[in-house]
Amino acid sequence: MTPRLRAEPRLSIRAAPVEPSRARRRLIPVKRPVHVTGTGCVTPIGRNADETWRALLAGRNNVSFVEEWSRIQGLGSHVASFVDGFNAKDRIPRKKRRTMSRMSEMLCVAADEAMAEAGLPRDALAGMRAMIICGSTTGSPIEISRMQRMLHTT
């Protein structure tokens, strides 16, 4: 078993429950500890947290020169790291997938992995207030391009 990217539940963030209108105006410390309970990843070097961790330990990366980008005038970077071979068809029902970007599919798969690692069934958080912290690089290039075209045609 490979080491996990998560720490022991010593990480505590304190905040107090507040009414939503006050919470938007300023950060208020909470009184209940919050713990990292699960991790999930879909990255260019791994399709889950274990694969990603093993690749990091081995010093692997997936960064490569993108020749097509060198033809774009003014673009400062010609390197990228793509998530190849990712397919959410067996993980997300078609009805939900058809309105999602590829980035959203990756996020859902990673969140699913984090929930499973935490030992939580999919409906465990139904009706509860919960937070998921996620990150991506640029988001979905297709959606960014679509938005750019929309802005320039209106």
Side-chain angles (χ1 to χ4, degrees):
M1 175 100 185
T2 56
R4 298 304 305 194
L5 290 172
R6 66 180 226 218
E8 292 299 315
R10 288 177 287 179
L11 171 66
S12 289
I13 302 167
R14 300 210 174 260
V18 294
E19 59 190 67
S21 61
R22 285 185 60 208
R24 286 188 200 107
R25 285 182 270 161
R26 61 190 168 105
L27 295 174
I28 298 174
V30 282
K31 297 181 181 185
R32 294 178 290 183
V34 177
H35 300 283
V36 176
T37 58
T39 55
C41 298
V42 176
T43 71
I45 58 174
R47 297 304 165 266
N48 57 50
D50 283 333
E51 283 181 22
T52 301
W53 183 244
R54 284 194 301 271
L56 287 170
L57 290 176
R60 288 194 306 267
N61 72 61
N62 192 23
V63 177
S64 60
F65 177 76
V66 183
E67 189 173 333
E68 299 84 32
W69 290 5
S70 63
R71 293 188 284 261
I72 302 172
Q73 188 176 10
L75 185 62
S77 177
H78 302 136
V79 296
S81 188
F82 298 106
V83 177
D84 297 321
F86 172 79
N87 189 340
K89 287 182 180 178
D90 59 338
R91 306 283 302 272
I92 303 170
R94 181 185 169 281
K95 188 173 182 176
K96 290 184 180 183
R97 253 189 4 261
R98 67 178 199 220
T99 59
M100 298 171 78
S101 69
R102 186 167 186 259
M103 190 66 66
S104 296
E105 291 176 355
M106 290 182 204
L107 173 62
C108 286
V109 168
D112 220 22
E113 179 188 3
M115 294 277 290
E117 183 181 301
L120 297 170
R122 282 185 168 196
D123 62 348
L125 301 177
M128 295 179 66
R129 291 177 58 182
M131 177 186 290
I132 296 175
I133 300 172
C134 64
S136 76
T137 53
T138 59
S140 174
I142 294 168
E143 296 304 316
I144 292 170
S145 176
R146 186 179 300 156
M147 178 62 79
Q148 187 264 344
R149 282 192 307 273
M150 185 181 78
L151 290 173
H152 286 289
T153 57
T154 57

